[in-house]
Amino acid sequence: MVADSNPQSKPARRRIIQVLLGGGLLGSFASFIYPVLRYLVPPPVAELGGDQVIAGKIAELKPNSAKIFRFGSRPGLLIRNSDGSYRALSATCTHLGCIVQYHGDVQEIWCACHNGFYDLNGRNVSGPPPRPLEVYEVHLQGDDVLVSRKREA
Amino acid sequence: MTLFAAMRNWIEERFNWADLTAPLREKAVPAHDLSYWYFLGGITLFLFGIQVCTGILLLLYYRPSATEAFESVQYIMTRVQFGWLVRSIHSWAANLMIFTAFCHMFSVLFLGAYRKPREMTWITGMLLLFLAMGFGFSGYLLPWNTLAFFATKVGTEITGQVPVIGHGLKVFLRGGEDVTGATLTRFFGFHVALLPGLTTLLLLTHIALVQYFGMSVPPAVEARWKALPSEARHIKFFPNFFLRELMAWYIALGVLGALAAILPWELGTKADPFAPAPAGIRPEWYFMFMFQTLKKIPAKVWFADGDVLGIMAFGVAGILWVLLPFFDPAGDKRGRKLVLGAGMFALSYIIAMTIYGYMAK
């Protein structure tokens, strides 16, 4: 045992040096890599416009037609139904993020990218979309059509 | 003394000319009735050279920002002398290069050139093909037109569906939550700096491996030559094979020039992030089979999201494909059959889904 302990003590000391050197080297590499990784992540963009936006003027849309409006940095779809009422939904397809459009002749919402259909309540009725479109609240105020996010109860 | 002799003399005095040129003199290429398939890798390399040259030319006028990109490409195509030709060649050569790379890959598969000891050549080749597709995907967005804008939206959204790392990857690629000018700037950086650097490294490795191992002889020919060694034929690489390759390159250049001049690449309309996606949104043809598959997968398969399932399936298939040589160890007839079967299946699937994608509305 005594004979063994001596040859072992030298490698043990060397081992400590190796761990210290290696650890220091790894630590310094981490300190180089970390800022690079953080740099790759884009800074968050402030959402503009908040929870309510003027989507258009009342006179602007004919019945059974629709337009795209800006809801912050995202597109929204404002539809005027055949009876003259309005509804507003998110225009971002829940499938792969294309921008949907209103299909007046079948009165459905259509995404051209992968042929997905939603009904006027935003429900995904055919094609690949996995989820319904978010539906917004519409208020008329003077000449303006105001669209706001639904408050969670 | 002629100038050439003087130069040769200068080199001879410092380096050993005979040693330097020995590999060229000794390299031989097997000659048999399937030798034509050997040209495909060289043609792909030639088209890559065309891409580097025309890419540098385009850089003289292109501006990588959402407000200027479309206009600068328009400027190249309408105002710069022969700008339409340079851009058209860049677009056509890109597509032809992917096409010849695919042909090269399938020829290597069917002729058994991936087998031991050439596994690493196959793997570097596959990585190069992925890089080429990355070039295509990032370059497609650079003109900032409607088609490319939505193709990029869909393509990066697909990346976002990968479990765990998906969202982070999507944000990294897009430079934010959405496809914006920030995405264009990033894609430009990938396209002209990151990908060319990686490709150069891998390409040199790939070519060095091909030189190291020499050309593979297809199994059927190899068996024939083993039975009758007097049948075996080789031609010298330099100048015999080299001159034939040059002819192939010249033909490729002719095809490329004709396509670019007769069918100039279109620019389309400028991307508007607040306009509905127009009908007929499609990615470039080499992504079509995946695009069409995702289009046809139902929203829910059993309890999983159809798309996530499809993306995962393509991911797993891609990894298995890279590791293909290891399913065909030497002397295992079943392995060879498995690889040939997988190759036939993949080829028919890709062709069928691509045609279906273009026929379906």
Side-chain angles (χ1 to χ4, degrees), chain B residues 110 130 146 167 314 333 355:
Chain B
F110 290 124
F130 292 149
T146 309
H167 184 257
F314 278 122
K333 284 224 167 85
I355 293 174

Side-chain angles (χ1 to χ4, degrees), chain A residues 40 70 74 95 97 99 101 114, chain B residues 153 178 186 273-274 277 307:
Chain A
L40 292 178
R70 279 169 188 259
R74 299 281 166 84
H95 178 220
I99 300 179
Q101 52 191 293
H114 302 88
Chain B
K153 234 175 149 63
D178 290 301
R186 288 199 170 197
F274 285 92
D307 281 320

